[in-house]
Amino acid sequence: MTTMTIRKQLHEQIDDLPDDIVQKIADFTLFTVMREKHSSTYVDWKSSQWQDFILGQFFREEDEVEYSLKDAQEVYHP
Protein backbone atom coordinates (compact mmCIF):
# COMPACT_ATOMS: atom_id res chain seq x y z
CA MET A 1 0.00 0.00 0.00
CA THR A 2 1.20 3.47 -0.77
CA THR A 3 1.15 6.27 1.75
CA MET A 4 -1.55 8.06 -0.26
CA THR A 5 -3.78 4.95 -0.21
CA ILE A 6 -3.39 4.63 3.56
CA ARG A 7 -4.17 8.34 4.04
CA LYS A 8 -7.25 8.08 1.83
CA GLN A 9 -8.57 5.01 3.67
CA LEU A 10 -7.90 6.59 7.05
CA HIS A 11 -9.67 9.79 5.99
CA GLU A 12 -12.71 7.80 4.83
CA GLN A 13 -12.84 5.86 8.10
CA ILE A 14 -12.55 9.02 10.20
CA ASP A 15 -15.40 10.65 8.25
CA ASP A 16 -17.72 7.85 9.41
CA LEU A 17 -16.83 8.06 13.12
CA PRO A 18 -18.78 9.89 15.84
CA ASP A 19 -17.41 13.30 16.86
CA ASP A 20 -16.20 12.13 20.28
CA ILE A 21 -14.00 9.45 18.74
CA VAL A 22 -12.67 11.90 16.14
CA GLN A 23 -11.69 14.20 19.02
CA LYS A 24 -9.82 11.33 20.71
CA ILE A 25 -7.98 10.60 17.46
CA ALA A 26 -7.06 14.28 17.13
CA ASP A 27 -5.77 14.34 20.72
CA PHE A 28 -3.70 11.21 20.13
CA THR A 29 -2.33 12.62 16.89
CA LEU A 30 -1.31 15.85 18.62
CA PHE A 31 0.30 13.86 21.43
CA THR A 32 2.26 11.73 18.96
CA VAL A 33 3.44 14.69 16.90
CA MET A 34 4.46 16.66 19.98
CA ARG A 35 6.32 13.66 21.39
CA GLU A 36 8.29 13.30 18.16
CA LYS A 37 9.13 16.99 17.99
CA HIS A 38 10.05 17.38 21.64
CA SER A 39 11.29 13.98 22.75
CA SER A 40 14.83 15.21 23.33
CA THR A 41 13.53 18.25 25.22
CA TYR A 42 11.80 16.13 27.86
CA VAL A 43 14.95 14.17 28.74
CA ASP A 44 16.34 17.06 30.78
CA TRP A 45 13.10 18.07 32.51
CA LYS A 46 13.09 18.45 36.25
CA SER A 47 10.32 17.11 38.48
CA SER A 48 8.67 20.53 38.73
CA GLN A 49 8.52 20.84 34.94
CA TRP A 50 6.81 17.44 34.67
CA GLN A 51 4.32 18.49 37.35
CA ASP A 52 3.47 21.65 35.42
CA PHE A 53 3.08 19.66 32.21
CA ILE A 54 0.83 17.04 33.82
CA LEU A 55 -1.34 19.68 35.47
CA GLY A 56 -1.65 21.42 32.10
CA GLN A 57 -2.82 18.19 30.51
CA PHE A 58 -5.18 17.52 33.40
CA PHE A 59 -6.89 20.89 33.02
CA ARG A 60 -6.83 20.81 29.20
CA GLU A 61 -9.42 18.07 28.99
CA GLU A 62 -12.89 19.26 28.13
CA ASP A 63 -14.92 17.78 30.92
CA GLU A 64 -18.36 18.47 32.32
CA VAL A 65 -16.81 18.65 35.78
CA GLU A 66 -14.56 21.61 36.50
CA TYR A 67 -11.42 21.06 38.54
CA SER A 68 -9.29 23.55 40.39
CA LEU A 69 -5.61 23.49 41.27
CA LYS A 70 -6.65 22.67 44.84
CA ASP A 71 -8.51 19.58 43.57
CA ALA A 72 -5.39 18.37 41.77
CA GLN A 73 -3.22 19.00 44.82
CA GLU A 74 -5.61 16.93 46.94
CA VAL A 75 -5.16 13.98 44.58
CA TYR A 76 -1.41 14.37 44.05
CA HIS A 77 0.71 13.99 47.19
CA PRO A 78 4.46 14.32 46.49
Side-chain angles (χ1 to χ4, degrees):
M1 254 192 214
T2 66
T3 302
M4 288 304 290
T5 304
I6 294 170
R7 288 177 185 265
K8 184 177 178 181
Q9 286 179 346
L10 183 59
H11 185 67
E12 290 170 359
Q13 290 172 352
I14 289 173
D15 285 343
D16 293 333
L17 294 173
D19 290 342
D20 61 320
I21 294 178
V22 171
Q23 183 61 51
K24 290 177 183 177
I25 293 170
D27 289 343
F28 177 74
T29 302
L30 178 61
F31 167 76
T32 303
V33 169
M34 295 303 290
R35 184 180 63 189
E36 288 294 317
K37 287 182 178 180
H38 297 97
S39 62
S40 63
T41 304
Y42 296 137
V43 172
D44 297 327
W45 274 23
K46 295 180 170 90
S47 180
S48 61
Q49 290 172 300
W50 279 110
Q51 289 173 2
D52 290 343
F53 174 75
I54 291 167
L55 284 173
Q57 295 300 310
F58 179 74
F59 290 117
R60 182 181 68 84
E61 294 292 322
E62 293 180 16
D63 200 339
E64 293 178 12
V65 178
E66 292 189 17
Y67 300 97
S68 69
L69 182 57
K70 183 178 181 224
D71 295 329
Q73 288 171 335
E74 288 175 7
V75 173
Y76 176 75
H77 302 283

